[in-house]
Amino acid sequence: MVPMPSTASAAGLCNFVDVSPSPFHVCRTVSVQLEEAGFVRVEETDAWPTEPGKYYLIRGGSLVAWSTEHDRSGRSAGSAPAGPFRIVGGHTDSPNLRVKQNPDLESAGWQMVGLEPYGGAWLNSWLDRDLGISGRLSVRDGSALREVLVKVDEPILRVPQLAIHLSEDRKGVTLDPQRHVNAIWGVGNSPRSFISYVAEREGVDPKAILGWELMTHDLAPSSIVGVEGELVSAPRLDNQGTCYAGTQALLAAVQNPTDVTPVLALFDHEEVGSMSDRGAFSDLLNTVLERIVLGRGGGREEFLRTMAGSICASGDMAHATHPNYPDRHEPAHRIELGGGPVLKVNQNLRYATDSAGAGAFALACDQAGVPLQRYVHRADLPCGSTIGPITASRTGISTVDVGAAQLAMHSSRELMGASDITAYSEALAAFLAPAAPVRG
Ligand code: ZN
């Protein structure tokens, strides 16, 4: 059966990013799109669904979605193995400036909010921007706790640069993450509580707030730029580009169920090492995959057989060749914006790709009719990594690292090709719904 094309577009990506300032909002945005397509939310504390269907679950800032609708054909329900998993992975978090636990500061007559970097934020890019606030609160509700999502899309915070006249030799300053990224939010000496302000904005009693994960986001809306509109300028493209493309790919893939079980796995905490209850190092993906097999009546043996035939595409953004710094790139591996999805290979396994995984993704690109670019980092520069090597080692599933090209990775404002988001999503859709039989 021919896979349905993805409906991903540059405008759709801009909308997705603008309503998703935090990992928790990414999960909510994806869940809204999934529910519109008939996906049903599963709670991990409840009994697992035994009926074939389209499901998803959220654990903190991570989300996993899957479809077992192919079981409706009677081909595989209760029998073993039930067709392998085809997984598209990605991460929901992006580097940013986050709010400290005692955030209220005063300095030289300014009212300040104490911030610190999350992940490898490119600090200079956060200066002189109008910043909003997002994240979540843990709120006392009687003797229980409830979660409140926070999204303040107003210019409340600002981290100003030092004037050039005040820097030594007018060469700028080296930014210190402890001293130089606190935000101004007012003037005067009357003390003000930042957490109380957030509570008021969300209609919550400040005394009921017992915990929070709050972060800042640049308020400039995402836009389509370039003389012919061939570029997307947006925050958090790393890695909401994959969250968006992967979601659209899954929605396309489930329209024509194939022999495989398509899975979308979006993890929080990739930018800080993935070691948490919901990061790629956690048991999240393994438990979901096992419960899918158990839910359809299989046992441990069926689970292990299903895993052995499965394959994962770890999606994360890739470095396009920078026109002002071409010497920073491997000269024989030029990556172009608009040149299609990127296959990432690293001999030291910073990327998980091996030849079998490369073959599966190259075949998907071929079936989707999109070109494929191949990326290798300069051998004399340290290479970044992704969830790919982590999920490969945690699951034992063959994994391929892929992505879409961009400039300015980890800047508060990034740049990618408008056509690439569609091509990337179509390749992922073909990967999730392979046209050829995957079992002999
Ligand atoms: Zn990333």
Side-chain angles (χ1 to χ4, degrees), residues 91 238-239 270-271 316-317 385 409-410:
H91 65 89
D238 174 15
N239 191 13
E270 191 273 345
E271 299 290 359
D316 209 338
M317 300 302 278
S385 192
M409 192 178 287
H410 288 198

Side-chain angles (χ1 to χ4, degrees), residues 6 19 72 101 142 153 167 170 175 177 179 198 231 242 307 309 311-312 343-344 364 374-375 385 388:
S6 164
V19 298
R72 284 194 199 285
Q101 290 297 296
D153 280 333
S167 69
R170 302 202 171 190
L175 292 168
R179 295 186 296 143
V198 171
L231 303 169
T242 297
M307 294 289 274
I311 183 162
C312 172
L343 177 82
K344 299 188 269 185
R374 292 175 191 254
Y375 182 80
S385 192

Side-chain angles (χ1 to χ4, degrees), residues 17 23 32 40 45 47 49 57 69 73 130 142 145 150 157 196 212 285 292 299 316 363 368 374:
V17 170
V32 167
V40 175
T45 47
L57 65 79
E69 292 219 306
S73 66
D130 298 332
L145 294 171
V150 172
L157 303 175
S196 295
W212 60 87
L285 184 57
I292 291 171
D316 209 338
L363 185 61
R374 292 175 191 254

Side-chain angles (χ1 to χ4, degrees), residues 47 55 82 109 131 138 159 163 182 187 227 250 360 403-404:
Y55 301 101
L131 302 176
S138 180
V159 185
N182 294 318
V187 291
V227 65
L250 180 65

Side-chain angles (χ1 to χ4, degrees), residues 21 74 88 93 118-120 122 142 147 151 180 194 200 207 233 270 280 284 293 312 317 327 331 374 385 404:
V88 166
D93 60 324
Y118 170 85
W122 210 202
E147 178 184 296
K151 185 161 172 282
H180 296 154
F194 180 72
E200 254 167 54
K207 289 195 281 299
S233 162
E270 191 273 345
L284 175 59
V293 175
C312 172
M317 300 302 278
D327 55 316
R374 292 175 191 254
S385 192

Side-chain angles (χ1 to χ4, degrees), residues 88-236:
V88 166
H91 65 89
T92 59
D93 60 324
S94 302
N96 56 19
L97 299 180
R98 297 201 171 185
V99 178
K100 289 183 176 175
Q101 290 297 296
N102 294 323
D104 301 322
L105 307 174
E106 276 182 48
S107 179
W110 296 89
Q111 293 182 346
M112 313 286 294
V113 175
L115 301 179
E116 59 186 322
Y118 170 85
W122 210 202
L123 295 182
N124 58 298
S125 70
W126 285 86
L127 306 179
D128 298 343
R129 290 182 186 264
D130 298 332
L131 302 176
I133 303 151
S134 71
R136 66 174 180 171
L137 309 173
S138 180
V139 178
R140 189 204 323 249
D141 194 353
S143 58
L145 294 171
R146 68 187 168 94
E147 178 184 296
V148 173
L149 281 189
V150 172
K151 185 161 172 282
V152 181
D153 280 333
E154 287 171 33
I156 307 301
L157 303 175
R158 178 103 174 189
V159 185
Q161 302 218 51
L162 185 67
I164 192 170
H165 319 84
L166 302 177
S167 69
E168 281 175 42
D169 304 329
R170 302 202 171 190
K171 281 187 181 151
V173 291
T174 304
L175 292 168
D176 177 338
Q178 169 62 23
R179 295 186 296 143
H180 296 154
V181 300
N182 294 318
I184 284 171
W185 73 311
V187 291
N189 293 320
S190 56
R192 188 192 287 265
S193 162
F194 180 72
I195 297 301
S196 295
Y197 169 80
V198 171
E200 254 167 54
R201 292 296 306 248
E202 299 301 332
V204 173
D205 176 2
K207 289 195 281 299
I209 297 180
L210 302 183
W212 60 87
E213 289 157 87
L214 293 173
M215 57 203 78
T216 59
H217 60 280
D218 179 12
L219 287 168
S222 302
S223 54
I224 294 172
V225 302
V227 65
E228 295 190 25
E230 63 271 62
L231 303 169
V232 175
S233 162
R236 303 180 295 281

